Amino acid sequence: MAQTEKKAGLLRRTASSKKPLKEKVVLMYDEIFAKEDPTKNNPRFWDELFLMKVNLEYLEGKLEALDGDEVMKIKDNINSLFHHCVQALGEEHQIKVVNALQTLCALFRGVHQKNKSATGFDIINMLMGFDKAELRMKELMESLDSLLCGDGSESLKSLCLKLLLCLVTVTDNISQNTILEYVMINSIFEAILQILSDVSSRAQHGYDAVVLLALLVNYRKYESVNPYIVKLSIVDDEPTLDGLGMVIHHALTEYNRQYKDKEEENQGGFFSTLTSMVGSMFIADADEKLSVQTNEAILLALYEAVHLNRNFITVLAQSHPEIDIATTPATPVPASPTTPLGTTPPSLDMMNNPELPLDPNLQTSNLLITFLKYSSIIMQDTKDEHRLNSARLCLIILTCIAEDQYADAFLHDDNMNFRVNLHRMPMRHRKKAADKNIPSRPLVCAVLDLMVEFVVTHMMKEFPMDLYVRCVQIIHKLICYQKKCRIRMHYTWRDLWSALINLLKFLLSNETSLLSKHNIFQLALQVVNLFNMFITYGDTFLPTPSSYDELYYEIIRMHQVFDNLYCMVLRVSTNAGQWKEPASKVTHALVNVRAIINHFNPKIESYAAVNHISQLSEDQVLEVVRSNYDTLTLKLQDGLDQFERYSEQPREAGFFKELVRSISLNVRKNVSLSTMSQDVLLKEFSSIS
């Protein structure tokens, strides 16, 4: 039997033939790429073409081999191919629909690949003819909408989503993809919502639908009115929002489980498991840290939902049992390409079971908990650009959550307690915390734990200043809410105070090297003002009077750090230079901290001298503090409980443009129709037809 050669679309030589024979579909492609109308010699040309199994590689290869001038010579035939592809989508013969969808993908990719420098208008003209473009794209989008919303084959719906993802990601910068103007005009937003709201559709297609939505929301979002942004911001249908949250939740849950499995495997012996880890998303370096391939597309979808839609905030807190996905038999998504760990859609059975029986002994979870665990993994190692971007996006999402009144309400709700097992970076000077020791607490405690963990573990040469600033801002916003609502959180505030003081110590020790790259005074001011919040308003939100005493104890115990900081900022602020003004602000902010130190230190020394004690215990220092509050004078500082609300534009616009570009490249690489099993698809539709 002669077999098809994949790349050339040729049949191998047999004993009786001297030249390789071309497949019929390849011969038909060659006719399209000739200058003459292929229907001249065969009026049934287009009908026959879509009954043939598509040779994607050959078709794309032919298109990629042509430059703009050569394409224009056969433009009429390319336009005709596009037109007949769109017409074939309405055929009852399912094989024709499959082949038309795959051919359209090859057209979009092939024309863009060769003509990257061409304008969007030129591309449109090459593909469908500029005068017919509006009509052709209207017909295409209506056909895709009908296929996605209809009762047809799930494989066909999957193929439609793959085509849309292919169309959206053909350019590196999606905002330069002019064809998407027609996707804005002929919206498929409702089709995406229908997929997310239906349990069965969500199981099959939810992941692709969510990634597609996240990308479409970012098309020219700063230059014009994007209808997907407008529509997403006003969705209030509960099943739809729940469906969106469920897809994100299960993608992150699956990622967390894979990470935990690999972590446990890694702990079982580095060298014994090295081979099994090759090719996976985890790479153990010399320090035996686990690096993770990030999934920014799902994070972006979560960000857009939280940022744009106030109603989505309720989805974050919806409780359900915490299940190990590994115990659930996974059914593969039909016609889905192979993707790396961490970017795969979750198993169908998990997506199919939003309502599960509640076991009173089973720990409950929600999307926010899953996101916090995910963030604790991502934020461990920020040296790689992708992980740094993911960590930044995690902190931006937490910033939006910390600013939302409803989110703050459930974060601090005493009746909603959870045991959140965050991943902690292995460090030589501390033991790994046992999972069983984690108490059940309001969720704000887990957020604060995550922030403290970040502060403690990232004081390094390549200092992630931007992440530290965001981290401290999140802590500040949460404390502002506690002060405003007089919520007394039973949290180990000492861990936070200690982390912040050590951060100041790090800034002082590395002043010269850090100042060459960063404005360290901005961060120092934020940290000092956090202490000012505790000093000025701590009596309204710290759990007990003794907590307030412990705050003073920590400031006095670590007074040398604050003294050194004051000397440094005084020195910089009294000299002319670019840092004069920011350093001066820190000088003024330290007034109450210095007042506490200068007031209590002489009292403590006097107490030690009178009682002939060389070194006072903590209880003795606290006794001195409690008995000398009355004579302490502090200045009232304005604006400590005020903060600037998050705004994406203009500050974050550059970050999101680059992030979306990175996601687009990744999606293009992973969602490749040529990796889909055509044989499986054709077999399915042959039996239907």
Side-chain angles (χ1 to χ4, degrees):
M1 281 290 287
Q3 292 184 7
T4 306
E5 283 188 9
K6 209 174 180 188
K7 288 195 176 177
L10 306 176
L11 297 177
R12 292 176 188 250
R13 295 179 183 181
T14 60
S16 59
S17 63
K18 295 183 178 180
K19 288 184 179 180
L21 299 173
K22 288 188 176 183
E23 296 174 69
K24 184 172 180 182
V25 74
V26 168
L27 290 169
M28 295 183 84
Y29 290 155
D30 288 344
E31 285 189 63
I32 294 169
F33 285 93
K35 292 177 187 177
E36 289 194 11
D37 180 352
T39 59
K40 268 188 178 179
N41 300 323
N42 180 4
R44 291 183 48 78
F45 180 87
W46 298 114
D47 283 333
E48 290 176 12
L49 178 68
F50 294 112
L51 288 170
M52 305 278 176
K53 178 181 172 183
V54 178
N55 189 324
L56 284 166
E57 289 193 57
Y58 186 82
L59 181 55
E60 277 187 55
K62 287 288 282 186
L63 286 163
E64 287 174 21
L66 302 174
D67 61 25
D69 292 337
E70 290 170 318
V71 171
M72 292 310 290
K73 289 175 185 175
I74 56 162
K75 181 179 97 61
D76 290 345
N77 284 357
I78 299 293
N79 291 174
S80 193
L81 174 59
F82 190 95
H83 172 50
H84 284 93
C85 281
V86 174
Q87 279 193 325
L89 296 183
E91 292 271 2
E92 287 185 17
H93 203 307
Q94 299 287 277
I95 285 181
K96 285 188 175 182
V97 180
V98 170
N99 288 330
L101 287 168
Q102 293 192 316
T103 304
L104 281 167
C105 185
L107 274 171
F108 284 129
R109 281 203 307 231
V111 170
H112 275 90
Q113 191 65 30
K114 180 67 178 181
N115 299 283
K116 286 183 177 177
S117 60
T119 67
F121 299 109
D122 288 338
I123 296 284
I124 291 167
N125 197 29
M126 289 176 200
L127 278 170
M128 56 197 100
F130 201 71
D131 55 334
K132 297 282 199 308
E134 195 170 327
L135 175 62
R136 296 285 178 264
M137 285 304 296
K138 184 175 185 289
E139 292 169 343
L140 172 61
M141 297 309 294
E142 284 175 354
S143 295
L144 292 175
D145 188 79
S146 298
L147 289 167
L148 287 171
C149 295
D151 297 326
S153 155
E154 297 302 328
S155 297
L156 209 53
K157 291 182 182 181
S158 180
L159 208 48
C160 288
L161 286 167
K162 297 291 187 291
L163 172 61
L164 285 163
L165 284 168
C166 167
L167 169 58
V168 171
T169 60
V170 284
T171 55
D172 293 353
N173 180 351
I174 67 167
S175 293
Q176 290 176 353
N177 185 354
T178 313
I179 296 177
L180 292 188
E181 284 297 329
Y182 301 109
V183 183
M184 296 293 118
I185 297 164
N186 305 286
S187 174
I188 47 152
F189 184 80
E190 286 71 23
I192 293 172
L193 293 198
Q194 186 172 315
I195 289 168
L196 296 177
S197 60
D198 180 77
V199 175
S200 175
S201 288
R202 181 170 67 240
Q204 300 274 3
H205 317 296
Y207 186 87
D208 282 348
V210 165
V211 172
L212 177 63
L213 179 59
L215 289 169
L216 288 172
V217 162
N218 280 275
Y219 174 73
R220 294 187 180 170
K221 68 193 308 191
Y222 307 119
E223 293 100 57
S224 59
V225 177
N226 180 322
Y228 290 84
I229 293 177
V230 177
K231 291 180 179 182
L232 180 58
S233 67
I234 57 174
V235 174
D236 57 1
D237 179 61
E238 201 173 318
T240 303
L241 292 172
D242 289 348
L244 174 58
M246 212 164 293
V247 173
I248 296 169
H249 173 263
H250 289 309
L252 296 181
T253 300
E254 172 69 4
Y255 182 95
N256 293 349
R257 184 191 64 75
Q258 289 172 348
Y259 179 87
K260 192 173 182 182
D261 289 350
K262 285 292 178 183
E263 189 179 43
E264 287 169 359
E265 182 184 321
N266 197 53
Q267 286 166 355
F270 173 61
F271 290 105
S272 63
T273 58
L274 181 61
T275 1
S276 66
M277 289 157 63
V278 171
S280 79
M281 67 175 177
F282 302 102
I283 305 153
D285 61 21
D287 298 320
E288 298 185 32
K289 288 178 186 174
L290 287 173
S291 295
V292 191
Q293 180 169 322
T294 52
N295 186 350
E296 286 111 336
I298 281 293
L299 268 192
L300 180 66
L302 176 58
Y303 164 75
E304 297 296 358
V306 169
H307 180 233
L308 294 175
N309 193 303
R310 289 294 308 279
N311 301 311
F312 187 79
I313 292 292
T314 60
V315 176
L316 294 173
Q318 284 177 0
S319 298
H320 48 76
E322 188 171 65
I323 344 169
D324 186 352
I325 294 181
T327 61
T328 317
T331 309
V333 179
S336 179
T338 305
T339 51
L341 289 174
T343 59
T344 51
S347 70
L348 296 186
D349 290 349
M350 283 298 297
M351 301 281 281
N352 266 324
N353 290 289
E355 302 297 331
L356 293 152
L358 280 170
D359 179 343
N361 300 314
L362 193 64
Q363 161 76 3
T364 55
S365 183
N366 56 40
L367 175 54
L368 181 56
I369 291 172
T370 303
F371 169 64
L372 290 173
K373 289 180 179 179
Y374 180 88
S375 299
S376 70
I377 296 169
I378 294 300
M379 288 161 61
Q380 284 185 48
D381 182 7
T382 57
K383 290 174 185 173
D384 171 87
E385 187 182 355
H386 283 288
R387 288 189 287 276
L388 183 68
N389 287 338
S390 278
R392 186 175 180 183
L393 187 50
C394 286
L395 288 171
I396 290 174
I397 293 168
L398 282 171
T399 300
C400 294
I401 291 169
E403 285 183 7
D404 187 274
Q405 291 291 310
Y406 181 81
D408 281 329
F410 73 69
L411 281 174
H412 292 85
D413 191 341
D414 259 339
N415 299 313
M416 291 175 64
N417 292 330
F418 296 91
R419 190 174 288 108
V420 184
N421 178 29
L422 298 175
H423 293 262
R424 303 175 83 215
M425 190 186 287
M427 297 182 82
R428 291 184 182 87
H429 65 274
R430 67 178 183 186
K431 293 180 181 177
K432 183 174 167 61
D435 295 358
K436 293 175 184 176
N437 297 337
I438 299 166
S440 193
R441 305 171 295 172
L443 281 173
V444 69
C445 297
V447 179
L448 289 169
D449 282 349
L450 182 63
M451 298 300 98
V452 169
E453 174 69 8
F454 181 84
V455 170
V456 168
T457 55
H458 289 76
M459 290 180 257
M460 54 195 180
K461 188 179 177 183
E462 291 299 319
F463 189 68
M465 174 63 78
D466 176 71
L467 302 190
Y468 267 97
V469 169
R470 293 176 192 277
C471 188
V472 176
Q473 284 173 343
I474 290 165
I475 297 167
H476 179 238
K477 287 169 184 180
L478 293 172
I479 292 173
C480 286
Y481 179 80
Q482 292 168 21
K483 177 257 175 186
K484 176 186 171 185
C485 299
R486 294 181 170 268
I487 297 170
R488 298 187 181 276
M489 288 305 307
H490 287 273
Y491 181 72
T492 50
W493 291 110
R494 235 178 186 174
D495 290 349
L496 173 61
W497 299 330
S498 174
L500 293 174
I501 292 170
N502 283 327
L503 175 56
L504 290 176
K505 193 174 179 181
F506 176 82
L507 295 179
L508 286 165
S509 303
N510 297 274
E511 176 196 346
T512 308
S513 60
L514 289 174
L515 266 181
S516 64
K517 301 175 185 174
H518 309 289
N519 175 6
I520 62 172
F521 302 105
Q522 178 196 7
L523 181 58
L525 180 63
Q526 288 181 321
V527 171
V528 171
N529 277 338
L530 271 185
F531 279 101
N532 285 330
M533 275 286 289
F534 283 104
I535 293 165
T536 310
Y537 302 116
D539 58 332
T540 65
F541 63 83
L542 286 172
T544 61
S546 62
S547 302
Y548 197 72
D549 302 336
E550 287 168 6
L551 167 67
Y552 278 59
Y553 174 79
E554 283 301 311
I555 291 171
I556 295 161
R557 185 176 73 85
M558 301 300 289
H559 71 89
Q560 196 62 56
V561 174
F562 292 105
D563 291 343
N564 292 345
L565 176 63
Y566 181 74
C567 291
M568 189 265 274
V569 293
L570 189 64
R571 165 173 51 82
V572 175
S573 63
T574 51
N575 293 321
Q578 69 178 115
W579 306 119
K580 180 180 174 71
E581 190 179 337
S584 180
K585 288 179 181 176
V586 182
T587 310
H588 296 307
L590 280 165
V591 62
N592 281 341
V593 173
R594 295 190 69 244
I596 291 167
I597 293 166
N598 294 335
H599 176 73
F600 286 106
N601 267 352
K603 301 281 192 296
I604 290 165
E605 288 166 9
S606 173
Y607 180 92
V610 168
N611 293 282
H612 306 292
I613 304 168
S614 59
Q615 194 167 358
L616 272 62
S617 66
E618 181 176 336
D619 288 339
Q620 289 168 328
V621 173
L622 287 171
E623 184 186 328
V624 175
V625 168
R626 290 188 192 106
S627 57
N628 287 281
Y629 275 133
D630 293 346
T631 51
L632 173 64
T633 305
L634 296 174
K635 287 187 177 179
L636 187 62
Q637 293 176 305
D638 295 327
L640 292 174
D641 57 346
Q642 305 295 313
F643 57 81
E644 184 183 349
R645 292 188 67 82
Y646 171 78
S647 174
E648 181 181 319
Q649 171 77 337
R651 190 172 296 174
E652 312 294 349
F655 167 69
F656 279 102
K657 280 179 181 175
E658 286 307 311
L659 182 73
V660 172
R661 180 190 292 267
S662 170
I663 291 169
S664 181
L665 290 168
N666 198 44
V667 170
R668 187 198 308 168
K669 185 174 64 179
N670 291 326
V671 185
S672 171
L673 284 177
S674 58
T675 63
M676 295 171 62
S677 174
Q678 288 177 288
D679 292 332
V680 171
L681 279 168
L682 295 175
K683 186 178 179 182
E684 177 185 341
F685 294 118
S686 296
S687 61
I688 292 171
S689 304

